[in-house]
Amino acid sequence: MSAENRAPGRPRSREADNAILGAALELLTERGVEATSIEQVARRAGVTRATVYRRFPDKTRLLLATIEAAYGDPPRTPEIRDVEHLLVGWASVLANPRQRRLLRRLYGAIEDYPGLARAYRDLFGRERDQTRRNVLEQARDRGQLPEDADLDVVLDLLTGAVWQHLATRPDTCTPSDVEQFLRAVLHQVGYRPGAQQHPAGQVGYL
Amino acid sequence: MSAENRAPGRPRSREADNAILGAALELLTERGVEATSIEQVARRAGVTRATVYRRFPDKTRLLLATIEAAYGDPPRTPEIRDVEHLLVGWASVLANPRQRRLLRRLYGAIEDYPGLARAYRDLFGRERDQTRRNVLEQARDRGQLPEDADLDVVLDLLTGAVWQHLATRPDTCTPSDVEQFLRAVLHQVGYRPGAQQHPAGQVGYL
């Protein structure tokens, strides 16, 4: 392991970090935001409450770190190459039963924990939306989306379709089921992957 | 009031019905499905638990009756004339802060109360989806939606857009804000209200 890749802190401290974030993710996924108290997380992680509070001064910061860890580290710089890549990534998340539960938990928390939703948007949401928007913009420039497509609306429609899938499809769906769903959705909003800007500048839809 | 419109039961019984359903709707909207126990509903309605149980043998049936009452009586035969009518109806619901909270509560309950979601779908969802699908089909027949539009996908996209609006827009939005959002969404999925089948059978998009 190179010096750059070595995680900071003493081994025992990293162990506690992992135990805390692991316990919080389990509680959050299985029982929701309400049940994921500092007290319950400490108990499940086998550490004292003080050990949790030293790292995370409040529940919101603990939950944000938990979500961040759940989505990989670092999750802030997702390198989405194009719409196809985005689609495959979403299919993989939506075909994972625990990720599905976690996402429904996060939606369910909007009502009672608006502060968490705001903090989440500030920390991850804006940048992630910008990345997705860039990918859509490139697709439109290539002629894969209609010239007059409103990309903010397309983004809302795609995110909404994910909520709809989480609400109405079985958690046993496969990545290929999800991919089929997302392709149909993208098609309906005007996405034509086979369409590419011709060298002469003309746009062709296949 | 005609004989047909008169509610069944004695006045005192109807009073108790109203008190129970009103208390249940308040609890459901303000605190969610988990908190809406028969015990809490009875307490808030000022009746005994036995009075609640006599009408609703379990929590699921109480919640379904509550949702049914909240959406008007009878909610099973919504007469949606066309897409414009659907749009105005949704805008009115989505501009109502309490309806927004209730809908988010129902989404949030999917995870822990799958039985409620199933029962809801059986009682209202299927028929309501069919009504909406018919409206979309008529719009397609009139040339207001692309000939090759997949109506199930359009329906998923519209419902998903509603979840997305509930998750990301402020509860202070006006009916006209919501209408603007929904129109942009409908436009992106290919809806062109000005397009009508010409007498000669041709289809024109405005």
Side-chain angles (χ1 to χ4, degrees), chain A residues 39 98 102:
Chain A
E39 168 119 38
R98 285 189 74 85
L102 177 60

Side-chain angles (χ1 to χ4, degrees), chain B residues 63-76:
Chain B
L63 289 172
L64 289 172
T66 303
I67 297 165
E68 187 169 9
Y71 286 119
D73 185 17
R76 296 198 192 178

Side-chain angles (χ1 to χ4, degrees), chain A residues 101 104-105 107-108 110-112 148-150 153-154 156-157 159-161 163-164 166-167 169 181 184-185 188-189, chain B residues 101 104-105 107-108 110-112 149-150 153-154 156-157 159-161 163-164 166-167 169 181 184-185 188-189:
Chain A
R101 298 187 67 185
R104 281 196 295 260
R105 293 292 187 197
Y107 194 106
I110 292 170
E111 185 58 35
D112 285 321
D148 66 347
D150 183 327
V153 173
V154 172
D156 273 331
L157 278 167
T159 314
W163 295 127
Q164 174 69 355
L166 289 166
R169 266 53 170 197
F181 172 85
V185 156
Q188 192 61 47
V189 302
Chain B
R101 298 187 68 184
R104 281 195 296 260
R105 292 291 186 199
Y107 194 106
I110 292 169
E111 184 58 35
D112 285 321
D150 184 327
V153 173
V154 173
D156 273 331
L157 278 168
T159 315
W163 295 128
Q164 174 69 355
L166 289 166
R169 265 55 169 197
F181 172 86
V185 156
Q188 193 61 49
V189 302

Side-chain angles (χ1 to χ4, degrees), chain A residues 75-124:
Chain A
R76 296 197 192 179
T77 51
E79 289 174 11
I80 309 170
R81 289 188 305 272
D82 53 25
V83 173
E84 291 296 308
H85 190 201
L86 179 72
L87 190 152
V88 170
W90 280 6
S92 141
V93 169
L94 287 178
N96 178 326
R98 285 189 74 85
Q99 294 267 19
R100 292 177 72 83
R101 298 187 67 185
L102 177 60
L103 286 167
R104 281 196 295 260
R105 293 292 187 197
L106 294 178
Y107 194 106
I110 292 170
E111 185 58 35
D112 285 321
Y113 298 89
L116 175 64
R118 262 196 309 275
Y120 179 81
R121 207 160 35 241
D122 290 345
L123 252 180
F124 317 119

